[in-house]
């Protein structure tokens, strides 16, 4: 029985990896892509191109999740979402040939995002449905997300060198493969997951401490969204890098961020959540600011590595706080809320970062973004300390009960 579960875990992780890879392939070439698709200006056009997808993510993730719970099936929706995403990416690639305006391109982008989030969010939920432990299943998701993100930037940069729409074509092919991967996976939707959205939200309102990891998740994803748009344009404008070199620069952040997730998560289990979440966020904010003031490509690359390391220190501990706080029967809903706040953070990173860079320059944009990360750590450090202490007391009580029973 375990080999079957292990195989499902690997298959679902591959689905998540494929969706993230397809998404991130576009990032290094977004400035040139949006101009090719009809935008009049790189920064403004790139902002709205990214915002359109993440707005669809925020709006539709909960709808897909609720629908899968009510139907008691997730696989058909994952397959439909992947195929819809493939059609959406392909339609975007064909938009210039079809003579579509940039407004129509943005509408297509919304539809593509609405379909894509079904494949991503529901495959994550299917991992939570599996036996074998939440930590192991979410660890598989974390590795898949990290590797997809880390590989997407350099590969996408090289593809964009061929033609601005080449990453879109590659993303479309990847999403077809995603659908084929998902088809043989069995559904394991638990019967107790059929509660209404209102019931689930009512239970979560009884745990206001979830706002702490949600707030940190929002700011952390804001910085990631900032780098996806403003960081890309910054490296190309200030240092004259092409799309391929920009992809490599983004990889200097994404690679350590992905590879260090698991060891940093284990470290937070040993030392508690306070230091990784609070001290890590302060260091993360400082390194974000440093990127915006780096005088050379080499120093900018070194600071990007530091940003990735600090981000990996913060991220798994923040996610672990959600699992620490939420009871087992509400863990899926709690993590869905965390991801919703994260998507809003990405969206805000595009809008705020793009607006600041356009009006006040790159240095100000990097400074404000870094200070937001530092600010949330300083404002919430007492709450994180108290919450971490409560979690440790609960764990010690459970260990004592286990020892007594033995």
């Amino acid at each position: 029985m375990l080999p079957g579960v292990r195989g499902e875990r690997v298959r679902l992780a591959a689905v998540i990896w494929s969706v993230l890879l397809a998404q991130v392939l576009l990032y290094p070439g977004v400035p040139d892509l949006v101009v090719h698709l009809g935008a009049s200006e790189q920064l403004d056009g790139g902002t709205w191109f990214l915002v359109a997808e993440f707005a669809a993510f925020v709006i539709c993730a909960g709808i897909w999740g609720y629908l899968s719970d009510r139907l008691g099936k997730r696989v058909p929706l994952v397959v439909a979402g992947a195929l819809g995403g493939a059609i959406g990416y392909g339609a975007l690639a064909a938009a210039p040939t079809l003579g579509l305006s940039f407004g129509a391109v943005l509408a297509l982008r919304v539809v593509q995002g609405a379909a894509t989030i079904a494949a991503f969010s529901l495959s994550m939920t299917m991992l939570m449905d599996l036996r074998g432990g939440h930590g192991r299943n979410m660890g598989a998701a974390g590795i898949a997300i990290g590797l997809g993100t880390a590989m997407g930037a350099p590969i996408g940069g090289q593809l964009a060198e061929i033609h601005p729409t080449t990453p879109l074509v590659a993303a479309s092919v990847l999403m077809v493969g995603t659908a084929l991967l998902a088809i043989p996976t069995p559904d394991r939707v638990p019967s107790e997951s059929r509660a209404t959205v209102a019931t689930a939200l009512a239970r979560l309102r009884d745990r206001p401490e979830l706002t702490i990891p949600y707030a940190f998740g929002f700011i952390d994803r804001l910085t990631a969204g900032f780098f996806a748009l403003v960081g890309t344009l910054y490296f190309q404008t200030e240092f004259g890098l092409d799309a391929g070199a920009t992809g490599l620069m983004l990889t200097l952040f994404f690679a350590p961020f992905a590879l260090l997730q698991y060891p940093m998560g284990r470290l937070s289990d040993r030392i508690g959540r306070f230091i990784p979440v609070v001290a890590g966020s302060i260091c993360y904010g400082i390194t974000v600011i440093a990127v915006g003031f780096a005088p050379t490509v080499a120093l900018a690359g070194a600071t990007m590595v530091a940003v990735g390391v600090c981000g990996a220190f913060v991220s798994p501990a923040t996610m672990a706080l959600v699992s620490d706080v939420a009871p087992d029967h509400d863990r899926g809903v709690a993590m869905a809320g965390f991801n919703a706040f994260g998507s809003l953070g990405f969206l805000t990173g595009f809008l705020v970062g793009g607006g600041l860079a356009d009006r006040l320059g790159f240095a100000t944009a990097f400074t404000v973004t870094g200070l937001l990360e530092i600010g949330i750590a300083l404002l919430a450090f007492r709450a994180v300390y108290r919450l971490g202490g409560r979690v440790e007391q609960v764990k010690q009580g459970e260990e004592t009960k286990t020892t007594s029973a033995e």
Side-chain angles (χ1 to χ4, degrees):
M1 208 171 277
L2 276 178
V5 171
R6 188 179 297 117
E8 290 174 41
R9 185 180 296 118
V10 172
R11 183 179 294 275
L12 289 169
V15 169
I16 294 169
W17 169 81
S18 181
V19 174
L20 260 293
L21 180 64
Q23 180 183 342
V24 179
L25 283 177
L26 277 60
Y27 288 174
V30 160
D32 292 333
L33 174 62
V34 294
V35 171
H36 182 77
L37 294 177
S40 59
E41 198 267 328
Q42 286 184 326
L43 181 58
D44 187 58
T47 299
W48 287 110
F49 187 75
L50 294 173
V51 164
E53 183 182 45
F54 275 91
F57 285 0
V58 172
I59 294 169
C60 296
I63 296 173
W64 286 116
Y66 174 70
L67 185 60
S68 74
D69 286 344
R70 299 303 296 170
L71 293 175
K73 293 183 180 297
R74 309 202 203 278
V75 173
L77 299 178
V78 171
V79 173
L83 291 176
I87 294 170
Y89 282 124
L92 286 168
T97 305
L98 298 173
L100 298 181
S101 67
F102 190 63
V105 166
L106 292 180
L108 273 178
R109 180 69 161 163
V110 170
V111 174
Q112 172 258 305
T116 301
I117 194 61
F120 176 75
S121 182
L122 294 182
S123 55
M124 287 272 289
T125 307
M126 288 177 69
L127 272 174
M128 299 184 76
D129 294 337
L130 284 181
R131 300 182 304 279
H134 288 292
R136 184 179 299 177
N137 294 333
M138 288 300 99
I143 292 170
I145 291 169
L147 287 178
T149 305
M151 294 173 66
I155 295 173
Q158 296 303 315
L159 290 175
E161 290 291 305
I162 300 172
H163 191 272
T165 60
T166 306
L168 285 169
V169 175
S172 181
V173 173
L174 275 168
M175 293 303 287
V176 172
T178 300
L180 295 176
L181 270 172
I183 288 172
T185 311
D187 264 313
R188 300 183 182 276
V189 182
S191 58
E192 61 268 21
S193 68
R194 293 175 182 267
T196 65
V197 173
T199 303
L201 292 177
R203 289 202 298 263
L204 288 180
R205 280 198 296 268
D206 295 333
R207 294 185 175 272
E209 59 267 34
L210 279 169
T211 56
I212 297 171
Y214 284 8
F216 277 94
F218 174 86
I219 297 295
D220 293 345
R221 299 284 184 90
L222 183 152
T223 58
F226 173 84
F227 272 109
L229 174 64
V230 179
T232 296
L233 198 60
Y234 168 70
F235 293 130
Q236 294 179 1
T237 302
E238 295 296 307
F239 299 112
L241 302 183
D242 57 22
T246 300
L248 293 175
M249 287 293 286
L250 291 176
T251 302
L252 293 176
F253 162 64
F254 289 133
F257 181 79
L259 297 174
L260 294 176
Q261 288 276 321
Y262 182 71
M264 291 298 191
R266 291 189 63 184
L267 178 63
S268 78
D269 285 339
R270 289 201 300 271
I271 67 175
R273 315 297 184 207
F274 177 77
I275 293 175
V277 171
V278 175
S281 293
I282 292 173
C283 294
Y284 189 34
I286 292 171
T287 55
V288 168
I289 295 172
V291 173
F293 288 90
T296 65
V297 173
L299 283 174
T303 51
M304 285 292 280
V305 173
V307 172
V309 173
C310 293
F313 194 36
V314 176
S315 179
T318 306
M319 290 182 67
L321 267 180
V322 180
S323 297
D324 291 340
V325 172
D328 291 345
H329 58 277
D330 282 336
R331 194 166 285 168
V333 180
M335 190 57 73
F338 180 80
N339 286 329
F341 270 78
S343 294
L344 285 171
F346 259 111
L347 197 60
T348 305
F350 299 148
L351 292 171
V352 174
L356 287 171
D358 186 36
R359 292 170 176 77
L360 301 176
F362 289 114
T364 300
F366 275 93
T367 299
V368 171
T369 303
L371 288 176
L372 285 173
E373 187 74 37
I374 296 170
I376 188 66
L378 295 177
L379 286 172
F381 81 96
R382 292 183 65 183
V384 176
Y385 183 79
R386 288 196 300 268
L387 183 57
R390 285 172 50 192
V391 170
E392 286 301 316
Q393 288 176 2
V394 171
K395 287 182 178 179
Q396 289 173 7
E398 291 174 350
E399 290 172 0
T400 302
K401 289 179 182 178
T402 302
T403 305
S404 300
E406 293 173 352

